[in-house]
Amino acid sequence: MYKPHYLLYGILWVLALEGTAALVSRPERSWHPTGATVLRIAIVAVVLLYLRMVDEQKDLEYDRVHNPDRPLVTGAVSAGELRAGMAVIAVVSVAAGAALSALSALMIAAVLAYGLLLWALERLSDPVRTNILLNLVVTYPVQLLVTAYIVLSAIDTGEVAAHWRSAAVAVIFAGAFLQFEFARKTARTERPGELLYSNPLGARGSTVASVLFAVVAVATDLALVRPWDHAPAEAALAWIPAALLLIPAVAAAKFLRSDDPDYPVVPAVLFILTLYLTLIAQALLLTGN
């Protein structure tokens, strides 16, 4: 279930996050990916695989009803095999983090431990398992921990400066991810038993939430990059994220006016990918000027 787009997302996440943090914290120095950046990408890639393995096990009962083709449900893989793989990934990722810095290793260990904590919480708490909004509050911090790992590790290895702006970039990536998260779990009608944001919020409420998260991501980027302070050619690049808001806005309008049963996921994916590619270009072209 670890499909190629997970790897692509991990690569773009690290590059866009590190580059944006460098741009807003030390714009006078040129940013480019280093060997440390490549190692961070590799660590994030295997940690995402670890979290995918955790999800397969913690969602087993739900998948037996709603996703019967999942490999753990069908028996294509066993829980023991997944746990053995998780143990290997834990050792390798923490050791690789230690090669970057002690704090990097500590942050990766925190991500892995939080993944296990989520598994335990969902097994022990029925509300956490069945209330999708509560589940989001409990599970989303694992994404923030990965973001914190990338930024703090980049500070330790010198690509990013220690500055409040470096921390503020987390809002960009939280907003971008959550617009996708809400988009992929929005349906026109209530579906009891399925974990959809549209069940408690309604189709319109869940759709609006997705678009608002995109607005938060773009507004934060503009506030930090400040395109109005750049020369015209550079400002044009810095303003691109604002134009990208047309993607979720048009998708939302079409969905609300149509009879489609599910919110279109492709525009949500397109928004997050084009935003991350734009942030990478900004970091490469706007730093060091």
Side-chain angles (χ1 to χ4, degrees):
M1 299 308 298
Y2 188 70
K3 298 176 182 178
H5 62 263
Y6 285 99
L7 179 58
L8 175 62
Y9 177 77
I11 293 170
L12 296 181
W13 185 8
V14 176
L15 291 175
L17 177 54
E18 180 183 306
T20 304
L23 172 61
V24 302
S25 67
R26 48 161 225 182
E28 71 285 349
R29 293 179 56 186
S30 295
W31 173 83
H32 61 274
T34 64
T37 308
V38 173
L39 184 53
R40 268 189 289 276
I41 290 172
I43 292 171
V44 168
V46 297
V47 166
L48 291 178
L49 174 58
Y50 173 98
L51 295 173
R52 181 69 266 159
M53 291 175 169
V54 171
D55 283 346
E56 288 297 314
Q57 295 171 85
K58 73 181 180 65
D59 297 340
L60 179 57
E61 295 306 316
Y62 180 86
D63 288 339
R64 281 178 173 151
V65 177
H66 299 285
N67 301 299
D69 59 338
R70 305 289 273 204
L72 193 57
V73 177
T74 63
V77 67
S78 70
E81 289 170 327
L82 288 180
R83 291 167 190 173
M86 288 168 59
V88 172
I89 290 173
V91 172
V92 170
S93 59
V94 172
L100 292 170
S101 70
L103 182 56
S104 298
L106 179 63
M107 291 303 301
I108 284 299
V111 173
L112 302 177
Y114 198 83
L116 294 178
L117 176 62
L118 292 179
W119 187 3
L121 284 174
E122 290 199 18
R123 293 188 65 178
L124 296 172
S125 172
D126 185 65
V128 170
R129 186 170 59 253
T130 60
N131 184 319
I132 190 166
L133 295 178
L134 177 59
N135 185 268
L136 178 65
V137 171
V138 172
T139 60
Y140 184 68
V142 73
Q143 291 271 341
L144 294 178
L145 283 173
V146 177
T147 292
Y149 152 71
I150 296 169
V151 173
L152 292 174
S153 177
I155 290 173
D156 276 354
T157 56
E159 287 82 11
V160 173
H163 194 283
W164 70 266
R165 291 177 178 270
S166 301
V169 298
V171 179
I172 301 172
F173 294 85
F177 175 81
L178 288 172
Q179 72 83 32
F180 166 74
E181 171 70 5
F182 273 72
R184 75 187 184 97
K185 295 182 179 179
T186 295
R188 183 165 304 282
T189 59
E190 185 173 351
R191 298 177 184 173
E194 292 191 44
L195 292 176
L196 300 174
Y197 295 106
S198 52
N199 283 347
L201 299 178
R204 183 175 296 275
S206 189
T207 298
V208 170
S210 179
V211 175
L212 285 178
F213 280 122
V215 171
V216 167
V218 169
T220 303
D221 175 66
L222 296 179
L224 292 173
V225 176
R226 299 176 63 85
W228 49 86
D229 287 342
H230 292 273
E234 297 171 348
L237 175 60
W239 280 112
I240 289 177
L244 295 179
L245 284 176
L246 285 172
I247 298 173
V250 171
K254 286 185 175 180
F255 172 68
L256 293 175
R257 293 173 183 171
S258 73
D259 295 323
D260 294 339
D262 298 299
Y263 190 91
V265 176
V266 172
V269 174
L270 181 61
F271 172 77
I272 201 170
L273 291 180
T274 53
L275 177 63
Y276 285 10
L277 287 170
T278 301
L279 295 180
I280 294 168
Q282 287 180 353
L284 289 171
L285 298 176
L286 300 184
T287 55
N289 294 327

